[in-house]
Amino acid sequence: MTDLEAALREVVRGEVGFDVTSRALTTMDASNYRRVPLGVVAPRDADDVAAALEVCRGHGVPVVPRGGGTSIAGQATGTGVVLDFTRHMNRLLDLDPRERTAVVQPGLVLDRLQEAAAPHGLRFGPDPSTHSRCTLGGMIGNNSCGSHSVAWGTTADSVRELTVLTARGRRLRLGQGWTGAPQGLRELAEGELARLRTGFPELPRRISGYALDALLPENGADVARSFCGSEGTLGVLTEAVVRLVEAPPARALAVLAYADEGAAAEAAAGLLPLGPLTVEGMAADLVPEPAGLPRGGAWLFVETGGRTEAEARARAEAVVRAADVVDARVVTDPAGQRALWRIREDASGTATRMPDGSEAWPGWEDCAVPPARLGAYLRDFRGLLTAHGLRGTPYGHFGDGCIHVRIDFDLLTEAGIARFRRFSEELAELVVAHGGSLSGEHGDGQARAELLPRMYGPETVALFEKAKAVWDPDDLLNPGMLVRPAPLDANLRFSVLPRRPVDVAFGYPSDGGDFSAAVRRCVGVAKCRTASAAGPSVMCPSFRVTGQEEHSTRGRARLLHEMLAGELVTEGWRSTEVRDALDLCLSCKGCRSDCPVEVDMATYKAEFLHHHYAGRRRPAAHYSMGWLPVWLRWAARTGTAPVVNALASVGPVAAVAKRLGGIAGERAVPRLAGETFSRWWRKRARTEGAGELVVLWPDTFTEHLSPSVGRAAVRVLEAAGLRVALPPTLRTPRGRIGDGRSRTAAALLTARRGRVCCGLTYVSTGQLDRARAVMRRTLDLMAPVLESGAPVVVLEPSCAAALRTDLPELLHDDPRAARLAARVLTFAETLERHAPDWTPPAIDRPVTGQTHCHQHAVLGDTADRRLREAAGLTGELSGGCCGLAGNFGFEKGHYEVSAACAEDQLLPAVREAPEGAVVLADGFSCRTQLAQLAGVRGRHLAEVLAEGLGGRDENG
């Protein structure tokens, strides 16, 4: 333990972390930069902050305040001690509806304030796209804005009073007037009145530099306002009194389509006289799925408010009439508006990949110009990109003249970095020529502070240095930001990564086979740090339980980044820090769809475990549950399922077996079926119909644990006029299958079932060599199916997801893998595509339950929704993850987290369901979790429809 760490532990009541994991998690924010801190302190209160500052000042160690870590200019990173306010100083202390104010701590997440204000018809005006995880302290530090700034301004417009600690421990309460201001600030301002009146451009999104013009007497000497946007360099915020605004009771969203972004930019300023709440813009390049958007090449999202829905709609329709558009759409339904806003909010992530899949980066993320000049500026900006051979797609706050853009800089080579610098210098000149600000929302940080003399001139920048010296004469707070900055091309986070591709098992097709590029996907927007899942979202269930950064997708990606860098995490694939962080990853795959840049932590976890345990003994659970298909087949083959069930019901015997198998003692061992699905299949009377052939996949769970699901699926598929077969072995009783679709189809109907397996359990435990062997054998067995062209119906969503994604990515060298993946359909997809004229039975009951996390992330549930609707199954299924997640919830040490995940959405949804509701759970894990935690029987959709068919039920 260093002297610094020991001294901090002696006086700080909150957590003090100088370990590798704590430091690795805070080396980066959402920028291009990386700086390794000495340690992290999570203060419990202002006294802790004061104590930490005193210790760090005594040791000459800099301090960096940090909120959600979503800063895009590098100002939330540092080489000294990082203060993490999100763990403890994250409360709403007071809310006064009459005064329309709230008292907040710096670590309070914006959405928590919005939720508390909403019942009073109030809200905090600024709302960045990171509203679900950004903190009020970070917003004040960066003077954040968001999409509603045309109506309610920036964070500085919403600040009334601030309580701060200076680096020398003085507690100040800042507001309008000089009371509470640091000594010397008034003298500095009054000695520079001419410069303060003439040296600061007037535009709504001037965020760059210090807001010293707020200290002018005609501006009320607003010291609190001048502190906003200081990026943690002047003082440490410990409390804030913020203003709230009245939220319109009703809103409407007009989506205006234009031919291109230039036309949209030219039109934006002209809509401001109509009093919109937002005027946001984005181009088609950032919209992978333009569902719900009117036809066009770029769009303006214009939100209007009113006392009633009719009034809000009328204002939105007035906007449409005033606009010269290609097409337009007005939406008043809140759910429809949320879906459209998500397209805009996710742009900060989707913009990090160009349409061809190549990488793009921040750095010039949020320049702002006067709104009337935005069109002209964008034309010049595009010309500059072309001159440097660069690409980027602007989007953002067009009504305020502020655009965001990710650019395909090459930040890996010396030549690329040199071009990055040249472009940055020329773009700064271009922004200034248009009367703009280098930063229009996210602050200067390391990305732009070096270029502030081009915007303000050397005299005003020298004034910034004097102001910094008044507040922080020892330069203790976030040094190198805003004044005396580090070069914009130093400390780049990519410089530490290996230059050659790492030897890996998966193919990473979207990242050119490069694991480093896959890890680089995480740019730090931190959507995975959302504390509560909204709607169908899954990511990130373990973070929502623990609240710990290391259990978020971003945290795990940061540790993998540091593992590849080899400076902090020095043991490579053997790293215990990475292993421990990945231990609570449920492999739910939610990040694959919910993360804007499609980070796939389930795959990264499997890859890591594969290398981590190579040549070493694995945890017992990897053998007991990773090899589950083997054990279950053995029990079926030997007829010992009744014996296994009997022994599992004997407490002491079960306890010993669970301890040896690494299974949580709180878990009951699921019962094995008395008759496997395939045995029932061989005994049943054949139905030789004339319908289209489909091959039903006998997954391990359906085969050995829930054969009723398979029996129900057969009944429904045949009722829909389809011929059902099971996968064959390589040879059938009639000999080897030859060519020809008709011969192959006939052989499939008479063949004996082969031991096909998707390899899921081996993949989830990182036994990738075994997984590949199982998958290759499966491809051999499925050769006749690939010849036949028959679709493959997979009832278990996790197995379907494994076949669609893990199979082709793990066997990227075998073209058969992609062919099989393309044939895989869910139960609902099969009925929709291959029995489109079939009408399901009318169930006419409400439903509850949860969409399987793998279905949400990989397969999609559109067909399921339509099938449920056709059957009269009404209501929505919850999002999230059940928490059992295959082997995860059964592993020793995971029970509490597993149960807490179920309490996030699944169990409340079931408890609150209307009487008579059908509990739908297509996944075996989901059904098991429901049975063990709630005593509720969940059913596969196939079972519900089979029951609705009525008549004789041969399925039992």
Side-chain angles (χ1 to χ4, degrees):
M1 186 182 297
T2 64
D3 291 343
L4 174 64
E5 181 184 1
L8 286 168
R9 289 187 181 279
E10 186 175 341
V11 298
V12 172
R13 290 176 293 112
E15 291 84 4
V16 176
F18 277 59
D19 57 286
V20 169
T21 296
S22 297
R23 297 167 65 203
L25 293 172
T26 51
T27 56
M28 293 174 277
D29 49 15
S31 71
N32 295 328
Y33 300 101
R34 171 185 177 271
R35 295 192 292 175
V36 180
L38 296 174
V40 180
V41 171
R44 289 194 176 274
D45 52 26
D47 290 341
D48 263 3
V49 175
L53 286 171
E54 183 177 359
V55 169
C56 289
R57 186 173 65 253
H59 285 76
V61 171
V63 175
V64 179
R66 180 179 170 109
T70 56
S71 299
I72 297 183
Q75 60 267 65
T77 67
T79 56
V81 169
V82 172
L83 297 180
D84 178 3
F85 289 99
T86 62
R87 296 193 207 175
H88 303 299
M89 297 182 68
N90 55 13
R91 290 177 295 153
L92 171 62
L93 300 177
D94 184 56
L95 194 150
D96 188 335
R98 176 171 294 188
E99 292 293 321
R100 295 183 181 177
T101 60
V103 183
V104 303
Q105 291 184 317
L108 179 69
V109 170
L110 175 58
D111 270 3
R112 305 291 81 77
L113 174 59
Q114 304 290 39
E115 290 164 2
H120 306 286
L122 302 173
R123 58 167 289 134
F124 189 71
D127 57 345
S129 61
T130 54
H131 53 82
S132 63
R133 58 270 191 199
C134 69
T135 64
L136 270 296
M139 293 179 67
I140 291 168
N142 288 349
N143 193 11
S144 300
C145 308
S147 61
H148 288 88
S149 58
V150 295
W152 298 315
T154 71
T155 298
D157 296 310
S158 300
V159 164
R160 183 169 172 177
E161 292 180 350
L162 301 176
T163 301
V164 304
L165 275 164
T166 68
R168 291 189 173 180
R170 187 179 176 193
R171 300 180 190 232
L172 306 177
R173 191 167 182 85
L174 313 177
Q176 278 202 333
W178 297 108
T179 302
Q183 186 177 1
L185 185 62
R186 181 173 185 172
E187 292 78 3
L188 178 67
E190 291 180 347
E192 296 281 357
L193 292 178
R195 186 168 303 283
L196 296 185
R197 289 186 172 116
T198 60
F200 293 80
E202 287 292 330
L203 72 160
R205 288 296 191 97
R206 174 174 52 81
I207 305 299
S208 283
Y210 291 133
L212 298 181
D213 56 326
L215 301 176
L216 286 166
E218 57 264 36
N219 292 332
D222 196 337
V223 180
R225 186 183 185 93
S226 75
F227 186 88
C228 294
S230 58
E231 303 182 26
T233 63
L234 302 183
V236 179
L237 177 73
T238 59
E239 190 176 296
V241 181
V242 298
R243 299 183 180 92
L244 305 175
V245 297
E246 185 176 356
R251 301 189 192 195
L253 180 62
V255 184
L256 313 177
Y258 295 87
D260 53 43
E261 73 188 22
E266 294 281 2
L271 301 177
L272 298 179
L274 298 174
L277 300 176
T278 62
V279 182
E280 299 287 290
M282 66 187 304
D285 286 351
L286 297 176
V287 187
E289 296 290 337
L293 293 173
R295 58 184 178 85
W299 299 273
L300 290 180
F301 292 64
V302 184
E303 187 179 69
T304 58
R307 292 185 300 273
T308 64
E309 180 181 312
E311 184 177 335
R313 174 178 279 278
R315 290 177 177 172
E317 290 172 345
V319 168
V320 173
R321 289 193 298 271
D324 182 15
V325 296
V326 173
D327 196 4
R329 180 186 175 199
V330 173
V331 181
T332 56
D333 169 51
Q337 291 183 58
R338 284 194 299 270
L340 290 169
W341 274 123
R342 180 179 177 181
I343 297 173
R344 162 61 187 87
E345 290 178 354
D346 281 354
S348 61
T350 55
T352 64
R353 282 295 187 274
M354 305 301 294
D356 63 1
S358 57
E359 297 169 314
W361 305 107
W364 287 94
E365 175 70 17
D366 61 322
C367 301
V369 298
R373 294 198 58 82
L374 182 60
Y377 166 71
L378 277 179
R379 284 194 295 274
D380 291 345
F381 173 76
R382 283 292 191 185
L384 189 63
L385 282 175
T386 300
H388 285 270
L390 296 169
R391 297 174 298 163
T393 302
Y395 67 97
H397 315 293
F398 282 24
D400 269 337
C402 176
I403 66 161
H404 299 314
V405 62
R406 300 291 173 100
I407 301 171
D408 65 338
F409 297 121
D410 168 15
L411 300 178
L412 301 174
T413 67
E414 289 186 10
I417 294 171
R419 181 168 60 168
F420 167 63
R421 167 169 282 280
R422 290 193 303 273
F423 175 85
S424 299
E425 293 169 343
E426 292 180 30
L427 181 55
E429 298 287 357
L430 178 62
V431 171
V432 172
H434 282 275
S437 174
L438 302 184
S439 171
E441 180 164 27
H442 297 145
D444 299 306
Q446 187 175 344
R448 288 175 286 267
E450 182 189 353
L451 300 171
L452 284 177
R454 299 172 188 250
M455 175 180 171
Y456 285 108
E459 294 83 3
T460 300
V461 170
L463 183 59
F464 291 161
E465 293 183 11
K466 292 177 182 178
K468 164 74 167 171
V470 168
W471 284 90
D472 179 23
D474 304 308
D475 200 18
L476 189 77
L477 298 177
N478 215 358
M481 296 296 153
L482 286 180
V483 301
R484 296 180 293 277
L488 62 85
D489 52 357
N491 305 319
L492 292 172
R493 67 185 178 103
F494 316 103
S495 62
V496 295
L497 294 178
R499 288 292 174 260
R500 294 181 178 179
V502 179
D503 185 25
V504 287
F506 282 95
Y508 303 100
S510 299
D511 299 291
D514 186 353
F515 184 68
S516 295
V519 171
R520 286 200 304 268
R521 276 183 174 271
C522 179
V523 293
V525 296
K527 191 176 178 183
C528 51
R529 280 181 53 92
T530 302
S532 58
S537 175
V538 171
M539 181 184 70
C540 180
S542 51
F543 173 78
R544 290 202 295 273
V545 169
T546 70
Q548 298 296 317
E549 173 80 12
E550 67 192 276
H551 299 141
S552 69
T553 303
R554 180 179 74 173
R556 293 169 181 132
R558 290 292 179 258
L559 281 162
L560 286 168
H561 185 109
E562 295 302 330
M563 180 194 81
L564 293 173
E567 293 181 2
L568 258 178
V569 179
T570 57
E571 295 179 329
W573 294 112
R574 300 295 198 195
S575 165
T576 55
E577 295 87 3
V578 178
R579 181 202 64 198
D580 292 346
L582 288 170
D583 181 57
L584 290 189
C585 171
L586 284 78
S587 297
C588 67
K589 292 187 179 286
C591 48
R592 188 174 179 122
S593 60
D594 294 346
C595 172
V597 290
E598 299 177 351
V599 168
D600 186 359
M601 194 53 62
T603 296
Y604 304 171
K605 177 181 180 179
E607 185 76 63
F608 175 83
L609 293 176
H610 169 69
H611 295 279
H612 185 75
Y613 289 110
R616 297 200 291 178
R617 190 174 69 179
R618 291 172 164 271
H622 287 198
Y623 301 107
S624 63
M625 286 175 282
W627 285 61
L628 186 66
V630 173
W631 310 134
L632 293 179
R633 281 200 301 269
W634 176 84
R637 196 164 52 240
T638 59
T640 55
V643 177
V644 173
N645 290 336
L647 292 175
S649 66
V650 178
V653 176
V656 171
K658 285 186 283 189
R659 187 164 59 249
L660 293 175
I663 298 172
E666 300 91 337
R667 288 291 179 188
V669 178
R671 291 182 61 83
L672 277 59
E675 180 181 58
T676 64
F677 170 61
S678 60
R679 184 170 298 171
W680 167 85
W681 170 263
R682 290 194 297 270
K683 288 165 52 179
R684 74 186 292 266
R686 289 289 184 269
T687 302
E688 299 288 346
E692 186 175 352
L693 176 70
V694 297
V695 177
L696 184 61
W697 183 272
D699 64 84
T700 295
F701 307 100
T702 300
E703 171 72 359
H704 299 283
L705 299 167
S706 292
S708 61
V709 173
R711 298 195 298 263
V714 170
R715 187 171 184 219
V716 174
L717 292 170
E718 290 183 345
L722 299 172
R723 288 185 297 159
V724 181
L726 268 61
T729 57
L730 281 175
R731 294 182 179 276
T732 71
R734 298 182 181 181
R736 188 169 183 84
I737 295 175
D739 294 331
R741 290 175 63 97
S742 59
R743 276 187 68 191
T744 302
L748 283 172
L749 286 168
T750 60
R752 185 166 54 87
R753 185 190 66 84
R755 293 178 182 174
V756 295
C757 180
C758 68
L760 170 67
T761 59
Y762 305 107
V763 171
S764 63
T765 53
Q767 300 180 74
L768 300 186
D769 289 336
R770 173 65 180 172
R772 279 189 289 225
V774 168
M775 289 174 174
R776 290 195 192 281
R777 186 191 68 196
T778 293
L779 290 175
D780 291 339
L781 293 168
M782 292 294 287
V785 176
L786 297 180
E787 292 179 23
S788 73
V792 178
V793 188
V794 185
L795 302 175
E796 172 63 41
S798 57
C799 294
L803 289 168
R804 282 230 188 133
T805 59
D806 296 332
L807 173 67
E809 292 173 14
L810 198 52
L811 295 186
H812 48 90
D813 56 345
D814 191 331
R816 300 177 302 169
R819 291 173 60 197
L820 177 55
R823 299 282 175 83
V824 170
L825 296 178
T826 66
F827 174 72
E829 287 173 338
T830 303
L831 290 171
E832 183 171 82
R833 298 183 192 181
H834 297 278
D837 298 326
W838 179 68
T839 302
I843 309 298
D844 297 330
R845 289 172 64 185
V847 297
T848 188
Q850 189 174 59
T851 300
H852 193 284
C853 53
H854 286 190
Q855 178 141 18
H856 166 85
V858 176
L859 308 168
D861 66 343
T862 303
D864 293 75
R865 288 173 176 271
R866 286 195 282 257
L867 180 56
R868 293 200 303 266
E869 181 181 358
L873 292 166
T874 58
E876 292 292 325
L877 302 184
S878 75
C881 177
C882 74
L884 193 60
N887 58 291
F888 176 84
F890 274 98
E891 290 184 7
K892 183 179 179 181
H894 291 173
Y895 179 79
E896 289 185 0
V897 171
S898 174
C901 289
E903 283 291 353
D904 183 47
Q905 291 195 67
L906 175 59
L907 297 186
V910 171
R911 284 195 291 265
E912 297 163 10
E915 187 176 353
V918 177
V919 180
L920 284 179
D922 280 3
F924 176 76
S925 290
C926 305
R927 296 194 296 273
T928 302
Q929 188 81 309
L930 283 166
Q932 294 196 359
L933 298 186
V936 172
R937 183 193 172 204
R939 292 193 290 172
H940 194 287
L941 181 57
E943 294 180 290
V944 177
L945 294 181
E947 182 181 289
L949 290 174
R952 178 177 173 273
D953 187 357
E954 66 173 317
N955 302 322

